[in-house]
Amino acid sequence: MKNLLKASAVLFAFLIISVSFKSKPEAPLTQAMNEQEGITFPENIQEIIDAKCMNCHKPDARNEKAKEKLQWEKVAKMNKEEQSHFIAEMFEVLEDGKMPPARTVERNPDMKLTDDETKALLTWMEAEEKRIKGK
């Protein structure tokens, strides 16, 4: 009985010590996981994209130039470098008022981004830029 009690105590001590040395996730692993995350679209942003962008920037769009420039369906699958480039280009396009093009707006005035839509897109892109840079 003494031997069984001793063996149990040793086993219990071993388990306690083993658990205390259990490896914890390291920061580089967590950082690597964050780097794999793609751009996400909150509901309000997705609604704007669907209403104002997808007609031209989708795989089966008629406008070849728009398809070559951007396909929204591919954005979520971009790597960090591509995401960073995408965000920088989107800032430029929105701040300069290049999208949607004037010709498109002339034909379909409802395609023009409102000030609130532009502001929402810029705010979303700022948040994505911070995420990409790890801030």
Side-chain angles (χ1 to χ4, degrees):
M1 183 72 161
K2 264 187 180 179
N3 287 339
L4 182 60
L5 200 55
K6 235 185 218 183
S8 296
V10 169
L11 181 60
F12 182 72
F14 176 75
L15 288 173
I16 296 294
I17 292 169
S18 296
V19 170
S20 67
F21 285 109
K22 182 180 176 190
S23 64
K24 296 178 178 135
E26 298 177 14
L29 177 59
T30 304
Q31 184 178 358
M33 288 170 57
N34 287 338
E35 288 176 2
Q36 295 302 312
E37 292 178 17
I39 290 177
T40 59
F41 304 101
E43 188 175 331
N44 66 325
I45 299 303
Q46 188 64 56
E47 288 172 3
I48 296 168
I49 292 167
D50 288 344
K52 308 286 176 118
C53 309
M54 285 298 279
N55 285 335
C56 298
H57 296 284
K58 61 183 179 182
D60 61 348
R62 292 185 329 188
N63 186 328
E64 290 298 321
K65 185 177 176 183
K67 280 195 308 189
E68 283 179 28
K69 201 78 167 140
L70 168 67
Q71 287 186 27
W72 282 97
E73 293 174 3
K74 294 182 179 180
V75 172
K77 298 172 186 159
M78 292 178 171
N79 63 36
K80 287 285 187 181
E81 185 178 326
E82 292 167 329
Q83 290 175 34
S84 184
H85 177 73
F86 166 76
I87 293 294
E89 194 169 323
M90 286 296 296
F91 271 122
E92 181 183 328
V93 164
L94 285 172
E95 289 172 345
D96 292 347
K98 294 179 183 175
M99 283 290 141
R103 194 168 161 189
T104 300
V105 174
E106 285 173 16
R107 288 185 293 217
N108 299 308
D110 59 320
M111 296 299 287
K112 182 171 177 28
L113 290 168
T114 66
D115 290 342
D116 287 342
E117 290 169 333
T118 302
K119 184 179 177 181
L121 287 168
L122 289 170
T123 300
W124 164 71
M125 287 187 303
E126 286 173 7
E128 285 296 318
E129 181 179 48
K130 287 179 183 176
R131 180 193 58 79
I132 291 166
K133 292 181 177 178
K135 293 181 180 180

